[in-house]
Amino acid sequence: MKFNIALLAGDGIGPEVIDQAVKVSDAVAKKFGHEITWKPALTGAAAIDAVGEPYPDETHEICLASDAVLFGAIGHPRFDNDPSAKVRPEQGLLKMRKKLGLFANVRPTFTFPSLIDKSPLKKERIEGTDLVFLRELTGGIYFGEKGRRDGGETAYDNCVYTREEVQRLAKKGFELAMTRSKKLCCVDKANVLETSRLWRETVQAMEKDYPEVEVSYEFVDAVAMRLVQWPNSYDVLITENLFGDILTDEASVISGSMGLMPSASMGSDIALFEPIHGSYPQATGLNIANPLATVLSAAMMFETAFNLPNEGKAIRDVVNKSLAEGIVTEDLADGGKAYGTKEVGDWLAKNI
Ligand code: IPM
Ligand code: MN
């Protein structure tokens, strides 16, 4: 098959980890007889510097004309430390999610047997963890009206959800649960927030359409606690944008390193694949960042965007092999030999 893939490397370590995912994807394509045409496009601080806009129209056009988008990371400290900056890299990410209609963000958390001792959590707590967050990505407090009043002395961010936004996300959650162990947890704060009450009411009304799915409703603060106590008691979790942002960072610790977890964002026709970690500016250009989250995002791309499970499995297998053989970056080296970002990528591509 032939694919066009938009390649949005972004900022910080983005370009370095993206390079490895490209190498590995090309190796898989060669092995299985596919042809990939990569379409690089600007985003984030890199795009602000080049054209003054973090998600330029030209980048959007390239994404729309592609079969999938592979994304690195965006963000730069010079904007984080300047609250008055008018244009920020993150605005590009939010604009891209909205304009591409990516309302469902799939963030799995699983453990790797060879890394089970690398997790800061006790082995017996995390063994067998295999859960997926479905984070709503184009609504809630991220996109509600925000601003200042009283001469700047008061600030507000509104959290808004429509029933339809909840339904379309929850539908994906129920469908995913049906392909897994048929357990769905709706994470909210319905004891306080009106939007959460709408979430709960909407999901409750959908239960009858999926009689086999066992649905639980839990408050986000309790989930934050249970997630690190009993992660393997969860399967599919659905939640709104901000809760999902926070809980998926928390969940990533279970696997042992933030540099390991991939994600997929979907909704309309086009899907986007990216590591869940950020741009890690301190590591930029040092060849130390872990490329596996991006490489595994490419695996998700083959599996879900192109419906090619064997190609995805080839990537997952070689990643597992690299971990078992200790071909790892410094975050996982544990005092042993640490390989560079590029060296890990080369090893994976060669061993595909
Ligand atoms: C993420 C990131 C983004 C988010 C930031 C960079 C805007 O943290 O993808 O989780 O908050 O959604
Ligand atoms: Mn986040």
Side-chain angles (χ1 to χ4, degrees):
M1 292 171 79
K2 289 189 171 175
F3 306 109
N4 288 322
I5 305 176
L7 197 60
L8 277 51
D11 306 321
I13 58 165
E16 294 164 62
V17 292
I18 279 283
D19 278 353
Q20 314 318 314
V22 166
K23 246 187 263 173
V24 174
S25 301
D26 282 339
V28 169
K30 190 162 173 225
K31 182 180 168 114
F32 289 86
H34 307 302
E35 200 182 305
I36 301 177
T37 307
W38 300 98
K39 308 271 185 189
L42 285 170
T43 185
I48 297 177
D49 292 342
V51 297
E53 230 272 59
Y55 184 61
D57 290 342
E58 198 194 331
T59 298
H60 185 57
E61 294 306 320
I62 290 174
C63 291
L64 286 181
S66 301
D67 300 302
V69 182
L70 191 61
F71 189 91
I74 65 173
H76 194 284
R78 85 169 181 268
F79 298 92
D80 297 345
N81 301 331
D82 176 11
S84 69
K86 292 265 175 307
V87 205
R88 324 186 138 265
E90 289 79 4
Q91 287 164 345
L93 187 60
L94 301 188
K95 191 170 160 195
M96 179 181 74
R97 289 171 178 171
K98 196 74 167 181
K99 285 183 80 170
L100 292 175
L102 305 171
F103 66 83
N105 183 209
V106 184
R107 294 189 167 185
T109 291
F110 44 90
T111 51
F112 298 85
S114 53
L115 293 183
I116 205 94
D117 296 314
K118 296 271 169 19
S119 173
L121 302 176
K122 290 200 186 88
K123 178 179 170 188
E124 54 277 21
R125 296 271 171 170
I126 59 169
E127 254 171 350
T129 297
D130 179 13
L131 56 85
V132 188
F133 274 96
L134 264 178
R135 167 189 175 195
E136 201 291 326
L137 205 57
T138 54
I141 199 166
Y142 273 60
F143 290 92
E145 195 194 332
K146 61 181 84 245
R148 295 278 179 113
R149 57 173 182 255
D150 306 333
E153 294 309 295
T154 306
Y156 56 92
D157 295 276
N158 283 350
C159 182
V160 181
Y161 269 108
T162 65
R163 191 179 304 277
E164 199 253 322
E165 283 174 319
V166 180
Q167 270 164 347
R168 65 184 185 181
L169 193 274
K171 182 166 182 282
K172 287 209 181 286
F174 276 108
E175 286 168 0
L176 185 61
M178 284 300 289
T179 68
R180 297 173 48 101
S181 71
K182 302 195 172 86
K183 263 179 24 190
L184 182 72
C185 178
C186 174
V187 184
D188 62 32
K189 187 74 187 171
N191 50 347
V192 178
L193 302 177
E194 198 54 41
T195 42
S196 284
R197 288 192 273 272
L198 177 69
W199 270 76
R200 203 171 268 222
E201 168 189 314
T202 305
V203 176
Q204 275 168 347
M206 292 170 78
E207 279 187 38
K208 62 175 183 335
D209 302 327
Y210 304 88
E212 287 171 60
V213 178
E214 181 197 324
V215 188
S216 64
Y217 299 85
E218 292 180 36
F219 298 140
V220 61
D221 46 352
V223 174
M225 187 177 62
R226 287 230 303 134
L227 196 57
V228 283
Q229 278 185 312
W230 309 110
N232 51 22
S233 68
Y234 289 112
D235 184 28
V236 179
L237 301 101
I238 54 174
T239 193
E240 64 95 55
N241 204 343
L242 181 61
F243 297 162
D245 178 47
I246 298 167
L247 291 177
T248 55
D249 265 29
E250 187 193 356
S252 76
V253 172
I254 297 167
S255 65
S257 167
M258 242 213 144
L260 290 169
M261 289 295 124
S263 85
S265 301
M266 48 197 66
S268 54
D269 299 341
I270 185 112
L272 176 144
F273 301 84
E274 62 173 313
I276 79 155
H277 61 69
S279 59
Y280 193 13
Q282 312 88 304
T284 308
L286 298 182
N287 195 38
I288 57 170
N290 189 339
L292 294 186
T294 315
V295 168
L296 289 168
S297 298
M300 283 182 95
M301 176 177 74
F302 280 103
E303 289 159 355
T304 52
F306 307 151
N307 205 8
L308 296 171
N310 294 332
E311 284 76 345
K313 185 170 181 301
I315 298 180
R316 290 178 194 278
D317 286 349
V318 81
V319 164
N320 284 332
K321 193 164 174 234
S322 74
L323 293 172
E325 297 192 15
I327 317 296
V328 294
T329 42
E330 65 172 26
D331 52 313
L332 298 174
D334 213 8
K337 179 167 166 49
Y339 289 74
T341 310
K342 180 175 175 297
E343 286 64 40
V344 171
D346 289 343
W347 192 93
L348 295 170
K350 191 168 136 240
N351 283 273
I352 279 283

